[in-house]
Amino acid sequence: MTTLELINLQREFFNKHINQEVKYRIEQLKLFRKILKENESLLFEAIDKDFGKSQYETYITELSLIYHEINLAIKKVRKWSKPKYVWTNLANFPGKSRIIPEPFGNTLVIGAWNYPYLLTLNPAISALAAGNTVIIKPSELALHTSAIMAKLINENFDAGLMHVVEGGVKETTDLLEQRFDKIFFTGSTAVGRIVMQAAANHLTPVTLELGGKSPVFVLPDANLKMSAKRIAWGKFLNAGQTCVAPDYVLVHKDIKEELLQELKKQVEIIHGDEPKGKETYVRIINKRHFDRLNELIHRDKIFCGGETDEEQLYISPTILDNVSFDDKVMEDEIFGPILPVIEFNNLEEIIKKVRTRPNPLAMYIFTKKRKIKERLIKEISFGGGSVNDTILHLSNSKLPFGGKGFSGTGNYHGKAGFDTFSHKKSILFKGLWFEPFLKYAPYNKFKLKLLRWIIE
Ligand code: NAD
């Protein structure tokens, strides 16, 4: 089937209004859950082949979140899709006002490779729940996970409703030339620009889930042991290949040495002193990323780690000390197991410095002081984040997840995902028994006075 044939098929399917029925959407979501559950062993096997990820980590960082998203959608989609009545203003008396969540229509979900299931299937769940058709384009870098998603979905769903198209730049470019009613993209800021430009040709709305350099602030009053444990967990999970991973640490100079020692200790507790080949520690996705990361390890600045194995695409959890904002490692998102630590003395100055950089996707603050938490949250613009923890804000489906500016536009998870894939159709229902004479000419001073009296 060509790209155009597939899109025409989905257009025809949508126009039949089959998935406008909430009952049908629920059936399909249940089928989706059943297929994933019955084929978990294949999903585990594929991700292990792609980058050596254990079943446990795949479950906590991907499958559990996908099951939660499906279960929530099944439970709530009736409520979410119900029209909502809102207050009607006096000028429209007598009338009623209703907002109807309407599916956009034919949607496209383009995913990144680092959480290959979560980043493609969760948006697809929201798209289905909202009554859309969906074409899923997983990343070609995670070959095995892309193939298993294509097999499971394409063999079990009507291609008119949901279909996986595998491939890289060429296939994505082909898709982007077509007209969709909504595009949901997860990936780099550079490709996000390409997607937004292509969408503009058709005036297609986009949600962009991008990346960025997410800072961690550690203040002198922080609980250092707990801070280090949570930073180390969030940074080296998936070997740092996480969009919301702490990218770099900004620590007050008075506690820097102590924090570095704690970080080293916690890395050893979590991953052991030789994480290579261990179930708890994943590999770098490919040679290109391995080489890129290798170049970011400034050998003179290694505090701990720094071991690499090109054949196994392994880079040990690495902490860099005495880093400055001018170092290469501080230019772009690291997206790997390297943690630069930068000390600061003056909070005001360091806030100013962070504010000059593109908006990060996430930010983390370790302090017990309420005023400092609130100040940092208020003064720095970022997608979302956690206080005294890392990463886990994304696991609460009540919190819309997404970036801002350079780190993305729009959001999803739970109800926010449903809303992202729905157009809000606003309708005014007018009664026929009254029509205000003020609406009509001739206009005169008396009418204007009366109008002002009513409105103001
Ligand atoms: P990427 O931008 O290279 O690729 C993403 C998708 O775009 C893939 O499906 C790929 O096939 C496609 N693509 C790549 N080049 C293209 C081109 N020239 N034209 C059209 N399509 C193209 O990103 P990646 O390497 O897969 O993922 C890493 C990035 O994604 C990081 O920046 C990370 O922070 C970000 N990310 C963000 C989130 C989030 O939720 N905000 C989640 C995961 C990853």
Side-chain angles (χ1 to χ4, degrees):
M1 197 170 12
T2 65
T3 308
L4 188 60
E5 282 166 351
L6 174 61
I7 288 166
N8 284 338
L9 187 72
Q10 294 217 337
R11 222 161 258 152
E12 256 171 55
F13 185 96
F14 185 73
N15 289 337
K16 287 185 199 150
H17 300 293
I18 301 169
N19 56 337
Q20 303 268 329
E21 290 298 324
V22 176
K23 187 168 168 275
Y24 176 82
R25 298 183 205 171
I26 293 174
E27 281 164 14
Q28 295 303 306
L29 289 168
K30 284 186 176 165
L31 174 66
F32 206 171
R33 182 175 59 189
K34 181 170 170 276
I35 288 160
L36 294 176
K37 289 225 174 223
E38 285 176 359
N39 292 283
E40 264 188 5
S41 58
L42 297 177
L43 297 170
F44 286 139
E45 203 181 296
I47 204 162
D48 187 39
K49 282 186 186 153
D50 277 339
F51 49 113
K53 192 157 158 170
S54 71
Q55 289 195 7
Y56 192 85
E57 202 169 321
T58 303
Y59 185 78
I60 59 163
T61 61
E62 306 225 35
L63 296 188
S64 65
L65 298 168
I66 294 170
Y67 291 144
H68 175 73
E69 195 79 0
I70 300 194
N71 292 341
L72 189 72
I74 292 170
K75 201 167 137 203
K76 300 278 185 176
V77 65
R78 275 191 199 288
K79 187 174 167 202
W80 293 342
S81 50
K82 266 202 185 118
K84 212 170 104 191
Y85 282 93
V86 291
W87 180 80
T88 303
N89 56 338
L90 193 60
N92 285 311
F93 178 80
K96 279 184 188 169
S97 301
R98 191 202 283 173
I99 303 169
I100 306 160
E102 182 185 81
F104 276 110
N106 305 114
T107 69
L108 171 65
V109 168
I110 303 172
W113 58 266
N114 57 325
Y115 290 92
Y117 300 133
L118 182 71
L119 301 174
T120 44
L121 302 186
N122 264 16
I125 291 163
S126 298
L128 292 181
N132 301 276
T133 70
V134 58
I135 292 177
I136 301 170
K137 212 300 291 174
S139 168
E140 73 284 15
L141 298 197
L143 257 183
H144 297 90
T145 50
S146 169
I148 192 63
M149 284 191 280
K151 179 178 158 53
L152 296 180
I153 290 174
N154 297 353
E155 284 178 3
N156 290 290
F157 286 90
D158 190 325
L161 176 70
M162 175 161 67
H163 198 75
V164 174
V165 172
E166 288 191 88
V169 177
K170 183 190 168 305
E171 290 73 9
T172 320
T173 308
D174 278 357
L175 284 165
L176 289 172
E177 276 168 13
Q178 307 299 325
R179 187 180 69 75
F180 285 92
D181 299 305
K182 168 89 195 186
I183 298 176
F184 186 103
F185 170 81
T186 303
S188 59
T189 303
V191 181
R193 274 201 186 96
I194 296 174
V195 171
M196 201 163 181
Q197 273 162 4
N201 290 333
H202 301 287
L203 292 180
T204 298
V206 289
T207 296
L208 301 176
E209 297 286 343
L210 312 176
K213 285 185 91 59
S214 303
V216 181
F217 282 85
V218 186
L219 280 298
D221 70 297
N223 174 331
L224 284 190
K225 191 170 169 196
M226 189 60 92
S227 306
K229 195 181 178 86
R230 292 177 175 175
I231 295 168
W233 177 81
K235 176 71 192 188
F236 299 112
L237 182 77
N238 217 32
Q241 302 166 112
T242 302
C243 57
V244 284
D247 190 273
Y248 60 100
V249 171
L250 298 168
V251 57
H252 192 276
K253 77 171 188 5
D254 291 353
I255 50 160
K256 187 187 85 170
E257 279 315 315
E258 213 184 321
L259 179 74
L260 281 167
Q261 294 301 339
E262 272 302 336
L263 279 168
K264 185 168 182 251
K265 214 189 281 172
Q266 292 303 329
V267 171
E268 282 171 12
I269 293 171
I270 299 170
H271 295 287
D273 45 8
E274 179 57 76
K276 184 153 76 171
K278 284 224 177 99
E279 260 229 323
T280 52
Y281 195 66
V282 314
R283 294 189 302 263
I284 305 306
I285 186 71
N286 61 19
K287 172 82 168 56
R288 181 170 65 84
H289 280 286
F290 175 87
D291 290 342
R292 179 185 62 79
L293 289 164
N294 211 0
E295 279 190 18
L296 298 182
I297 304 176
H298 194 312
R299 296 282 145 191
D300 298 341
K301 298 196 173 184
I302 295 175
F303 175 76
C304 66
E307 294 91 28
T308 60
D309 180 337
E310 187 177 323
E311 210 166 285
Q312 292 196 33
L313 298 178
Y314 165 80
I315 298 178
S316 67
T318 300
I319 297 173
L320 302 180
D321 186 15
N322 297 318
V323 177
S324 88
F325 280 98
D326 300 326
D327 289 345
K328 194 168 164 43
V329 73
M330 289 305 295
E331 282 172 14
D332 297 314
E333 180 184 6
I334 297 171
F335 218 55
I338 304 165
L339 183 64
V341 174
I342 298 179
E343 69 171 40
F344 70 89
N345 195 15
N346 180 313
L347 188 61
E348 177 101 28
E349 277 168 21
I350 200 73
I351 290 176
K352 267 195 199 148
K353 182 77 194 165
V354 174
R355 279 169 60 97
T356 61
R357 302 172 70 87
N359 331 74
L361 179 59
M363 196 173 96
Y364 305 110
I365 302 160
F366 287 85
T367 178
K368 295 186 210 100
K369 292 194 173 147
R370 194 181 60 81
K371 269 197 174 160
I372 295 186
K373 294 173 199 170
E374 297 304 334
R375 179 174 179 197
L376 286 165
I377 292 170
K378 193 170 148 196
E379 294 189 10
I380 298 176
S381 185
F382 55 98
S386 309
V387 173
N388 291 322
D389 208 342
T390 61
I391 300 212
L392 286 171
H393 59 290
L394 72 71
S395 67
N396 180 356
S397 57
K398 295 265 185 204
L399 291 175
F401 177 80
K404 184 181 176 205
F406 285 93
S407 55
T409 178
N411 45 50
Y412 72 131
H413 289 184
K415 169 80 160 52
F418 178 90
D419 290 341
T420 281
F421 282 95
S422 304
H423 162 67
K424 286 191 170 70
K425 192 185 242 175
S426 297
I427 310 285
L428 173 70
F429 294 86
K430 270 310 264 286
L432 290 168
W433 57 271
F434 174 72
E435 182 67 344
F437 72 100
L438 289 175
K439 213 167 120 182
Y440 301 95
Y443 303 138
N444 57 39
K445 278 191 177 161
F446 167 72
K447 278 181 163 177
L448 185 61
K449 209 170 164 187
L450 186 58
L451 200 62
R452 279 187 181 283
W453 182 75
I454 295 170
I455 289 174
E456 293 169 21

